[in-house]
Amino acid sequence: VSDSVYGPWAELVTLGTRRAMSGLSQMLGAEISVVDLELRRVPVTEISNAFGGPETEAVGIYLTVSGSADGHMMLMYDPQIALAFVDLLMGQPANTTTSLTDMGRSALGEMGNLISAFFLSAIADATGLSLHPSPPEVMTDMAGALLDVVSADILATQDEAFIAETTFTAEGADVTGLFMVMPTEELLDTLVAATKAA
Amino acid sequence: VVEAIGAANEIVLGLGEWAVSGSAADVLVCVGLGSCVAFVAYDPQARIGGMAHMVLPDSSQGRASTVAPAKFVDEAIPLVLRGLQTAGAAPRRLALHLVGGARMLKSSGPAEPAMNIGDRNIVAARETLAHLGLPLASEDLGGERGRTVRLDVRTGTLSVRTAGTPSLSGSSAGGQ
């Protein structure tokens, strides 16, 4: 990515992530800290190496972005940590949830709804674009299999993927999560053009 | 007979990558296949194997790629078959296998073009093979779980691990 694209994209991601994490913090009633925010450009063939390798078991909360242009968003958790998040989301004592039920999946889906809505509204405010999240899909599988959903769409037209990865933790609970935003090249161009026009 | 026992040399194929090997130490691997489909072919006599990590069904619906030449099913299968022939495998001896093509998204989820991509990949792979007049020796396709597939080039043993299961189920790809 050239600097002229990277700069505005980095600013938008930082803005969106800050808003999303503050929304999550309110939802959980717990302080959320961003441990790491990284923007990468990787060959699409290597997307599946995110989250500790393609065979690592993970819980993924997946949403697509549509409207002015398309993109993908995925929250990924270690399965044990997903259970801890369910407890946090449902206001239960730690270790109450021991397996992922429909109720737990629904709670994680709500978390995906909230994070994506806050992230996209921040970006919409900054660019004037109209961007909508899809309903969330909560999946448990090998990380590579989860990320196939994203890769298949991006690889149809691109050899490289732009990934914004946010690692966050909730204070007072031993949980970390990964929030990935993967715009298509089209969305990236649209965002940057809108930023310049704004 | 004493055979040299060395560490297996795993050749892990990323999305859209393919490989052919006649080296006994090699194991061809696709890790964490979701909607992707692995095409596997093995000549038990020449002990040559090939594999492709296929992502999308149809090359007419996308842009060609230099980093992922085997991303489209309709192009990847002929690519591997030609590679095997060049390496000395005989087409009539090949045992062919398809693995993967899971449905990762349920109907309640995001409605987007990648939906049911697993099903579309399976259909494309079967059609491509039928068009070439090539029968399948085995298949492990569909469902809702990810898979890892390994082909041991020395023995022709094909093993598939499905997400959420600890053990490997093995079968002989060579059919000997």
Side-chain angles (χ1 to χ4, degrees):
Chain A
V1 192
S2 67
D3 287 348
S4 65
V5 174
Y6 191 86
W9 169 231
E11 258 177 58
L12 288 173
V13 166
T14 307
L15 184 73
T17 301
R18 194 182 301 141
R19 192 88 71 84
M21 293 303 142
S22 120
L24 181 61
S25 178
Q26 290 168 40
M27 184 189 199
L28 293 174
E31 198 64 37
I32 297 287
S33 332
V34 173
V35 177
D36 189 32
L37 173 55
E38 202 182 340
L39 274 75
R40 297 187 297 140
R41 177 193 196 185
V42 300
V44 176
T45 50
E46 287 170 24
I47 289 182
S48 59
N49 291 328
F51 204 80
E55 206 166 19
T56 309
E57 295 274 329
V59 174
I61 305 160
Y62 171 68
L63 304 98
T64 57
V65 182
S66 62
S68 299
D70 300 335
H72 305 265
M73 292 191 284
M74 178 92 80
L75 282 156
M76 291 183 90
Y77 303 113
D78 172 277
Q80 286 306 313
I81 286 171
L83 299 179
F85 266 113
V86 171
D87 286 336
L88 272 178
L89 289 162
M90 297 176 68
Q92 299 170 156
N95 303 318
T96 304
T97 304
T98 54
S99 69
L100 198 53
T101 60
D102 283 348
M103 178 89 83
R105 264 189 286 273
S106 162
L108 291 174
E110 275 310 308
M111 184 180 187
N113 277 334
L114 179 125
I115 288 183
S116 60
F118 273 72
F119 183 91
L120 291 178
S121 75
I123 288 189
D125 290 351
T127 60
L129 294 174
S130 154
L131 299 166
H132 315 286
S134 70
E137 177 92 29
V138 181
M139 307 176 274
T140 305
D141 213 304
M142 297 173 179
L146 298 178
L147 289 163
D148 264 6
V149 177
V150 177
S151 313
D153 185 50
I154 292 185
L155 192 56
T157 54
Q158 293 170 222
D159 282 349
E160 286 183 314
F162 310 94
I163 305 181
E165 281 181 345
T166 306
T167 309
F168 59 91
T169 64
E171 297 289 316
D174 190 16
V175 288
T176 61
L178 180 65
F179 172 50
M180 302 170 77
V181 181
M182 291 153 287
T184 56
E185 225 160 45
E186 182 203 7
L187 175 55
L188 205 56
D189 289 344
T190 308
L191 287 175
V192 171
T195 310
K196 284 180 179 156
Chain B
V1 178
V2 179
E3 286 188 308
I5 301 171
N9 176 37
E10 287 211 338
I11 298 173
V12 178
L13 303 175
L15 286 93
E17 295 180 336
W18 68 283
V20 162
S21 170
S23 166
D26 286 350
V27 177
L28 302 179
V29 191
C30 286
V31 184
L33 293 165
S35 55
C36 289
V37 172
F39 172 61
V40 186
Y42 187 73
D43 178 339
Q45 197 172 315
R47 293 184 186 273
I48 299 173
M51 187 181 281
H53 188 154
M54 309 184 293
V55 187
L56 293 156
D58 186 353
S59 56
S60 70
Q61 287 170 7
R63 197 194 298 171
S65 165
T66 48
V67 298
K71 70 174 169 179
F72 296 113
V73 169
D74 62 329
E75 294 180 341
I77 290 176
L79 207 53
V80 171
L81 293 173
R82 277 200 302 276
L84 283 163
Q85 219 168 335
T86 306
R92 63 186 163 74
R93 286 198 304 256
L94 290 175
L96 309 180
H97 312 267
L98 292 172
V99 178
R103 175 188 291 236
M104 301 308 300
L105 298 176
K106 319 299 178 287
S107 54
S108 62
E112 49 104 27
M115 187 137 175
N116 295 335
I117 187 82
D119 289 342
R120 284 162 54 208
N121 283 334
I122 292 169
V123 169
R126 286 184 176 143
E127 277 179 1
T128 303
L129 291 173
H131 184 71
L132 295 168
L134 298 171
L136 273 178
S138 82
E139 59 175 46
D140 185 350
L141 294 167
E144 295 179 348
R145 310 306 310 261
R147 298 169 172 91
T148 291
V149 58
R150 288 183 166 77
L151 175 70
D152 185 325
V153 175
R154 186 176 67 85
T155 61
T157 302
L158 186 72
S159 51
V160 178
R161 185 187 159 250
T162 303
T165 62
S167 62
L168 291 169
S169 62
S171 71
S172 175
Q176 65 264 40

